[in-house]
Amino acid sequence: MAKFILRRLGASFLVLLGGSMLLFFLVTISGDPLADLRESNADNKEHLIRQRTEFMGLDTPWFQRYGVWLGGIAKCVTLSCDLGTNMNGTDVGSLLGNAAQSTLRLVVLATVLAIVIGVIVGIATAIRQYSGFDYVVTFLAFLFFSLPVFWAAVLLKEYGAIRFNDWIREPTFTLAQIAGTAIVLAVILQGVLGGSAKRRALTAGATLVFVVAAMSYFSATEWFRRPMLGIAFVLLVGLGAAVGATALFSGIRNRRVLYATLGTVAAGTASHLIVLPLLEKGGWGTIFGLLPVALLVSAAIGWFVGGYSRKPATVLSMSVAVIMGMLTIADVASRHWASLLGLKPRPISTIGSQTPNFAGGFWESFLDKGAQIILPTIVLTLISIASYTRYTRSSMLEVMNQDYIRTARSKGLSERVVIVKHGFRNALIPITTIVAFDFAGLIGGAVITEQVFGWKGMGELFRTGLDHVDPAPVMAFFLVTGTAAILMNLVADLAYAALDPRIRR
């Protein structure tokens, strides 16, 4: 395995070297970096031209400048990278750090959401092949996959930012809005859950009543201006997560695992009241300091309660603990939404990743940054969900028709075990490739999204470098995206070996 990894890294290095040389050459011949200064009427035009020529090394051939850049990259071995300066003399390394931080904050969240939602929906459509739910999801998947990113982003800015900011001043629903929303959700949910006509009618009726009651309550109390989740919400969602995770991965009849996850929910609910005053003070140090405590407590619960199922009990208990922690953070953040609206009446901006010179506290800043990231995340997630759903569905359908699946069923194994342990594990192999390349591709694909939403990320760095015929920012972009693509490709190969022992040989 070590020999294989070293061979792949060597080949990848040669690919990066050739690609970087070609890109550097193409950028340098794509235009005149002094064009704007030559047309300038400034008195110090000649001084500005000499200064830019010095910053960019325009008095030397392109291959010599490429050699200087390559020498700076070689210093990364000693953790002292020199990415050069841009046309204004600014260190590209500092620009890359800020840009990468902004883009990764967007890309990582969008990728995780797309993977989780897309894989789950893909499995569900494969299990219910040719059902109404399958047809609807297939249609939506092709629709989202075909959406132009810039068009979807502009629509979200209009309806998710501008009109939402108008509505949040008086967040009430009309009778027509309540009735329309309830009917649409009732039709969708009964189609998703399926079943007999009686079961569909009960599902639609229950959904209709619940949505009407909830929207009426939210409208009457203006809940969207003063939201508060509360401990009851944390407890109910935690119980749902515990029961659902146990039923999916271990089986609801495995009482040891069920008791472990329910015990974690009880501990999380009790700790919710204890840590609330600590979290109110804010600070990432407090949040990340409490995380290992929650993991240790939940691991101990799973270990001692799990009995003969200690391993799954421990893993699921720790997963439920993470969910409980996220619910607690969401509860604390929701208590500060009203104060955010007091500081910023229009909470979702259409430009930028955060509000300049924002004067709020930790949780107000947390909500402000969260509000700014939601729209571009939705755009990237919708585009990626479509591909994950289709690939997961086709992979699961191929696997579920194999002989070993029929053998597993004939042995009397439950459908959950057949799908999760025998089907999904083998269906993950082709999906792993998509996950690896999608993460690297989203960094480059976020160029359009960042431009529409005004994010100062990798896309902005790349576009600015191309517009001004400035190789240094473009090469920094290539260095990050190219390295990410190669590393993700290597991770995919290693994941193959972990999923299928035959590949190791």
Side-chain angles (χ1 to χ4, degrees):
M1 182 62 73
K3 183 178 180 181
F4 168 75
I5 294 175
L6 291 176
R7 187 168 62 248
R8 289 298 303 272
L9 289 177
S12 301
F13 173 77
L14 295 178
V15 171
L16 277 177
L17 184 64
S20 63
M21 182 182 297
L22 178 61
L23 181 62
F24 195 98
F25 172 70
L26 291 175
V27 174
T28 54
I29 66 171
S30 62
D32 182 10
L34 300 175
D36 58 326
L37 294 180
R38 298 186 198 280
E39 299 172 358
S40 174
N41 295 322
D43 296 334
N44 60 340
K45 180 174 72 172
E46 295 300 326
H47 170 71
L48 294 176
I49 291 177
R50 286 194 303 271
Q51 187 180 53
R52 184 176 296 182
T53 301
E54 180 182 353
F55 287 150
M56 300 180 64
L58 299 178
D59 53 348
T60 57
W62 74 269
F63 52 85
Q64 188 172 341
R65 282 185 280 156
Y66 173 74
V68 172
W69 177 84
L70 201 60
I73 298 301
K75 296 180 182 178
C76 292
V77 178
T78 60
L79 302 180
S80 56
C81 296
D82 181 11
L83 302 181
T85 59
N86 66 357
M87 59 186 298
N88 298 318
T90 306
D91 180 49
V92 175
S94 61
L95 296 177
L96 178 63
N98 296 329
Q101 178 185 5
S102 179
T103 295
L104 287 176
R105 182 157 56 98
L106 172 64
V107 170
V108 170
L109 180 60
T111 304
V112 170
L113 288 175
I115 292 171
V116 173
I117 298 174
V119 169
I120 292 175
V121 174
I123 294 173
T125 53
I127 295 172
R128 301 182 56 189
Q129 186 183 16
Y130 302 134
S131 64
F133 173 68
D134 184 24
Y135 287 128
V136 171
V137 171
T138 300
F139 170 76
L140 292 177
F142 281 117
L143 178 64
F144 292 150
F145 191 77
S146 305
L147 282 179
V149 175
F150 64 90
W151 182 76
V154 170
L155 283 183
L156 273 178
K157 287 177 67 172
E158 172 66 25
Y159 293 98
I162 297 174
R163 298 201 182 188
F164 175 82
N165 290 332
D166 294 337
W167 174 80
I168 199 65
R169 290 180 297 184
E170 294 183 6
T172 58
F173 300 106
T174 64
L175 185 60
Q177 290 172 334
I178 294 175
T181 304
I183 292 173
V184 170
L185 290 179
V187 172
I188 292 175
L189 195 59
Q190 63 85 26
V192 169
L193 297 180
S196 62
K198 182 179 179 180
R199 180 179 175 180
R200 287 174 178 266
L202 288 175
T203 301
T207 304
L208 197 68
V209 172
F210 175 80
V211 173
V212 169
M215 292 185 67
S216 300
Y217 170 78
F218 292 150
S219 181
T221 60
E222 292 191 349
W223 185 86
F224 288 97
R225 287 196 66 86
R226 294 176 295 274
M228 187 172 295
L229 303 180
I231 192 170
F233 175 83
V234 174
L235 176 61
L236 290 176
V237 177
L239 288 174
V243 175
T246 303
L248 181 60
F249 294 104
S250 184
I252 202 69
R253 294 182 179 180
N254 193 333
R255 299 301 181 187
R256 290 286 187 176
V257 177
L258 180 61
Y259 294 154
T261 54
L262 292 178
T264 302
V265 172
T269 305
S271 64
H272 177 85
L273 300 175
I274 299 174
V275 304
L276 214 57
L278 296 175
L279 290 175
E280 282 287 349
K281 298 177 183 179
W284 290 110
T286 304
I287 294 175
F288 288 109
L290 291 171
L291 178 61
V293 177
L295 294 176
L296 286 174
V297 172
S298 60
I301 293 175
W303 180 262
F304 289 108
V305 179
Y308 58 85
S309 299
R310 281 177 175 171
K311 184 177 179 180
T314 302
V315 173
L316 290 179
S317 294
M318 294 174 69
S319 302
V320 171
V322 172
I323 294 174
M324 293 294 292
M326 295 172 63
L327 290 171
T328 300
I329 292 174
D331 183 27
V332 178
S334 67
R335 299 167 187 261
H336 293 78
W337 177 252
S339 59
L340 173 68
L341 293 179
L343 295 169
K344 188 180 176 185
R346 300 180 69 83
I348 301 182
S349 302
T350 56
I351 298 296
S353 58
Q354 63 186 64
T355 304
N357 303 319
F358 188 72
F362 172 81
W363 288 109
E364 286 77 16
S365 298
F366 177 85
L367 290 171
D368 175 55
K369 293 178 181 178
Q372 303 311 105
I373 201 175
I374 188 170
L375 295 184
T377 298
I378 290 174
V379 172
L380 295 177
T381 302
L382 286 179
I383 304 302
S384 298
I385 278 179
S387 59
Y388 284 124
T389 300
R390 299 305 301 161
Y391 277 110
T392 304
R393 178 183 182 275
S394 60
S395 182
M396 280 293 293
L397 287 176
E398 181 180 355
V399 168
M400 296 303 288
N401 289 323
Q402 298 296 319
D403 291 338
Y404 62 84
I405 296 294
R406 286 192 289 270
T407 302
R409 284 176 173 150
S410 65
K411 289 166 60 179
L413 297 179
S414 65
E415 192 66 13
R416 179 195 62 80
V417 174
V418 172
I419 293 173
V420 176
K421 292 189 176 181
H422 294 273
F424 180 56
R425 180 184 176 91
N426 290 280
L428 269 178
I429 295 176
I431 299 173
T432 303
T433 306
I434 310 302
V435 172
F437 282 102
D438 195 42
F439 179 78
L442 270 179
I443 298 177
V447 173
I448 299 175
T449 305
E450 289 179 9
Q451 184 173 356
V452 174
F453 289 101
W455 277 57
K456 302 297 182 181
M458 297 292 293
E460 175 70 17
L461 187 72
F462 178 73
R463 186 184 63 84
T464 302
L466 286 182
D467 289 344
H468 295 95
V469 199
D470 191 355
V474 178
M475 298 307 294
F477 176 86
F478 169 81
L479 186 66
V480 173
T481 54
T483 304
I486 287 173
L487 289 179
M488 288 299 105
N489 190 15
L490 181 60
V491 169
D493 290 338
L494 297 178
Y496 288 163
L499 291 170
D500 190 347
R502 296 172 298 178
I503 299 178
R504 303 174 196 169
R505 305 183 187 277

